[in-house]
Amino acid sequence: MMPKLLLALVAAATPAASQSRQPANDHFIQLCSEDHRDAVSKGVDVVMHIRHLESLKGFVVEDAAVAAALEDDHRVCGVDKVPRHTLKKREAAAADSERAAAAADSGVSANGWRGDYWYDRSHPEGRPWNLDRINGFVDGDASFERTGRGASIFVLDSGLDTTHPEFDGANRNVENVADFTSSRRKWKHKPEWSWGSGPVTTAAKANNDYDGHGTHCAATAAGVSYGVAPGADLYGMKVLGDDGTGSTLWTLEAMDSVAELVRFGRLGGPAILSMSLGGPCPYSDPIYCAYQSYEARAVADLRRLGAAVVVAAGNEGDDACEHLPAAARGAITVGAIEQGDRISSFSNWGRCVDVMAPGSDIPSAVTGHEEDAGYFIDDETEQYVVQFGTSQATPLVAGTLALYTEAIGGDVDDAINAMINNAVAASTRSPDTCPTNFLVVQTPATGELDFTPLDEPVCPLPGEAPAPPRKTSRPTSRPSSRPSARPSLRPSTPPSQPPSTPPTTPPSKLTTPPTSRQSARPSLPPTSRPPSAQPSRLSPAQPSRPPSAQPSASPPRPTPPQRVPVFPAEPDQPDSADLGQGAPTAGPTADHGVKATLSALAALFLVFAL
């Protein structure tokens, strides 16, 4: 039975709320081996299974007594609490004051907006300004050379209205494929993927979005008129309820489902997840939020499989590193800007933000189920509305990434590198000085694309190792018109040395702490939780150095040991340690004896010759 949701998060988290985070918990049972799943879970009331996220293979139970009993099972490698905190859509409530001020200026009441006002506001040059901006300058040209063909964009949100005209006319898939928002109506359905579980109706497949947030985001990513990638396949996965809130478990189940598709090659092209949702990280340590939280580990697992995860920075106007999944180091975390490139007043910022994108005055589609959408740009049909938030910036980046995968030939790692390398610097006036807070995403240009691996983390967190020196052993540019190629999941450069000994048993926990954030191939989460974090059975043992000895800042990178060449001794100078001790040694001593024998034979030959 799915856990009940907590109260919806307030739009802007107060300092008091961020200090007293005590969410209810479910219990995650981590299996030592997938072979034990059926036996261990037999007779147990399982909330959900996680089968395809490598670092989270196991299942979730609600009963604390059952979790305590399984803790002593030798087939169980860990039992940990899963925070049951509520996630929320990332539409900015902070824009209400801006809307009220605009109403006063236009002479229109707050509840009776004129469509022409919002149309003019969101189309300053006759085209949607967000599309116009990422194409260069706001000059009325919002056309793109590519459509994102071949990519699959998964919108994890409140659902999708597939009947909207914004999704008509394209030779592609636009479909609701799953609903995880309650045990009563949970379903997954797409026969081509061997999905056919749970009760699903034709009406739910057509439109299961009663909030409107999911449809707005999906059309921003891949709509025909208001989207970046109208040629990409678009799949709705409902993880937010009809009130716009959801749970961590629903999101993890959706991410695990996408991991299944990528793992077994059922998509035939790159997978991009767009997640315009989030909530405060329930842990006080930023390193734990960035690497070891459930959302961060799920993101890292998907990245290792070759999928990209684009997430919203959040709308609290504070540090994105204090929120999930925004803090996840493997994700592409997106902040929002308004017209003129200034950071939106509601947008989160900081070292966890990877790129900025338009997020204010964003026009897009609205679901037919939403009764009070407001802010229509078309008074007659009421099919398009303006919304504000990092929610609107996130799908814009997801759709842009689809254009890069098409340009490069499907490789997600190279596409991410090329997209970040191609971002343009802008005066966003972000409160944080990290350079990524001043980069605005751009669509791929004609010509060669620079997919040089990123030096990450660009701005390390306190206690996080800085980026290693960049090493590139292959060309760093590629024609953007390169024909499609099979995606590569291999690292760009092989490791310098193979491991000394292979593991003899499957690892039960993550055992490699990250030394740097690799956006193209994120490192494994750290294995030791800092002293400030709550204890966890899934966290390996604490480091041997006591917590008090841990440095507060990033320690200097140790100099790797240099390989010292070893040369053999000269033949006529044997090692003195080997002379007259123990058994005779091969090498210089033996060669000296052979030479002496040959000299004697040569002398005898001369005697007989004379």
Side-chain angles (χ1 to χ4, degrees), residues 59-85:
F59 55 89
V60 177
V61 299
E62 187 175 3
D63 193 329
V66 172
L70 290 174
E71 197 167 0
D72 296 327
D73 193 315
H74 70 279
R75 298 165 296 184
V76 173
C77 283
V79 176
D80 195 21
K81 294 179 180 179
V82 183
R84 203 186 300 168
H85 60 278

Side-chain angles (χ1 to χ4, degrees), residues 47-66:
V47 174
M48 59 170 283
H49 285 275
I50 300 179
R51 302 177 185 272
H52 306 285
L53 296 171
E54 187 63 34
S55 69
L56 294 174
K57 285 188 176 180
F59 55 89
V60 177
V61 299
E62 187 175 3
D63 193 329
V66 172

Side-chain angles (χ1 to χ4, degrees), residues 160-184:
L160 174 63
D161 182 359
T162 65
T163 66
H164 196 284
E166 193 67 11
F167 306 116
D168 289 344
N171 183 22
R172 54 168 178 164
N173 294 316
V174 178
E175 187 175 353
N176 281 304
V177 293
D179 184 344
F180 301 102
T181 55
S182 75
S183 58
R184 177 176 55 84

